[in-house]
Amino acid sequence: MHDQALRSIVIVGGGTAGWMTAAALAHAMPRGCAITLVESDEIGTVGVGEATIPPIRLFNETLGIAEADFLKNTKGSFKLGIEFVGWGGPDRRYFHPFGTHGKPFDLIAVHQHWLAARDSSPDGVLPPLDALSMAWGAAKHGRFAAPVADPRSVASTFDYAYHFDAGLYAAFLRRYAEARGVARIEGKVLAAERDPLGGDVATLRLADGRALAGDFFVDCSGFRGLLIEGALATGYEDWTHWLPCDRAVAMPCVTGGDGMTPYTRSTARPAGWQWRIPLQHRTGNGYVYASAHVSDDEAAATLAANLDGPALGEPRFLRFVTGRRRKFWNRNVVAIGLAGGFMEPLESTSIHLIQAGIAKLLAYLPTRQPDPLAIDEYNRVAIAEFERIRDFLILHYKLNADRPEPMWQAAAAMSVPDTLAAKIEHFRARGRLVQRENDLFGAASWLAVHIGQGNLPQDLDPLLAYRADPAASGAFVTRLAAAIESMGRSMPTHADWIARIGARA
């Protein structure tokens, strides 16, 4: 076994993907394998998102990174979920929480009680579904505290992630990785040379004439896919017929408006949507849009007109094709981050997909002897995860039928993958939330979008007829909303909690 162990791993590209990979490999493989990262200061990085989902906490904890140090070094803030404004209709808004909607008190899901009570209550009497989420109970008041361990408390029913500066995170992880033996090479990769016998990538040629050999390569070169596509011609599956946005323009600004909210905001626009991500030192903003429906100049003007405060830079444009490589692992190359595929940041999945790719790489760690079983399983799991996230993103577009603009009307009328169509049909029939293998987003996430964008079920869980009546359901929902409201108001402000964390850094 030791005779076949990798002697060298070469990571092509830095940025968030490259340095997350380098840090994880250095932590998991402390000796016996040389880890080298090659990147060029001449080539900019995309800066893969500033908003995350809760699994990022596990990544940091696995590396032994203290939350206080992480937040201090990345100018980070806390994230309890995403507020969607104008989705499902120009005047509609809802919250996608991290955590659950309440705590079940019998065999029937909480949302089924809410639906039963809603059907029998006059308008305005019943609390909205968002009021049953502890994450929103805190977020709407600009408050935050860590979840408690006591499962009897509603304060145990939420989770959280972070907003942070992706560039600062990459620099932080670079220091972590280099302190653990990762070698960084400054250089621009011009080409990859393949072994004439086996076909694997063998050597990288740098612009200054140097050659860099390795046993295994991780392609973190971004959209270019220097190795996975440039050298191995793996192929790409285009999903723009389901997810029509193909451009983004980003522009940070001085924090204003609602201030440093403990949540991300996504606001629907005529040809796409706008993000708002508050950090300690600024607010990140961007407009993700379909170039077939709006020009670059118009998109930039729309973004500039909807900032909370003065802009802190010129608009920065990005072009992309939503989709994935046909294989994420091909021969002795695995693509992680944008080199493997791209899905718009509507649900903050970019950094998570880096993390997931790294976790699978460690689970199916290669040797110098190719293992077709490991490669096939890695690709199967990675493809399934990409497709499940794709379906969740498509759901937002498909259910946005009440917006009058042409892009949204076309999205609402489109055919969707069978895997998504089945989930929509189950919910429309009886409010059932069907989970499948490799679903990153759980029942609460799907529920928030279905209800938030007006996809109400035609009937309810039959078990309700035997175990509850609308009055009991209404009383339960009202008590739960009151408990969440009281707990949310009692928490420290978001800024105060960050100050406490900073004092411990």
Side-chain angles (χ1 to χ4, degrees), residues 230-279:
L232 299 180
T234 301
Y236 195 83
E237 190 170 300
D238 187 333
W239 289 341
T240 51
H241 53 292
W242 287 315
L243 295 165
C245 293
D246 59 354
R247 306 273 178 93
V249 55
M251 188 186 305
C253 74
V254 174
T255 298
D258 294 335
M260 190 172 56
T261 54
Y263 57 89
T264 304
R265 178 176 294 134
S266 169
T267 303
R269 299 292 180 206
W273 59 274
Q274 180 178 333
W275 77 72
R276 177 186 181 275
I277 301 173
L279 284 72

Side-chain angles (χ1 to χ4, degrees), residues 29-43:
M29 305 166 62
R31 64 179 185 275
C33 180
I35 301 169
T36 304
L37 185 147
V38 56
E39 65 177 341
S40 172
D41 290 334
E42 298 177 15
I43 301 174

Side-chain angles (χ1 to χ4, degrees), residues 408-434:
W408 294 113
Q409 287 297 302
M414 69 181 169
S415 297
V416 300
D418 292 343
T419 47
L420 174 58
K423 287 191 170 189
I424 293 175
E425 290 168 8
H426 272 285
F427 193 82
R428 281 181 176 164
R430 290 191 177 274
R432 291 190 175 116
L433 295 159
V434 178

Side-chain angles (χ1 to χ4, degrees), residues 10 39 47 78 129 164 179 181 228 251 256 269 303 371 416 431 437 442 456 477:
V10 179
E39 65 177 341
F78 292 94
L129 181 69
F164 56 80
I228 196 72
M251 188 186 305
R269 299 292 180 206
L303 178 60
D371 184 351
V416 300
E437 181 192 14
L456 297 175
V477 165

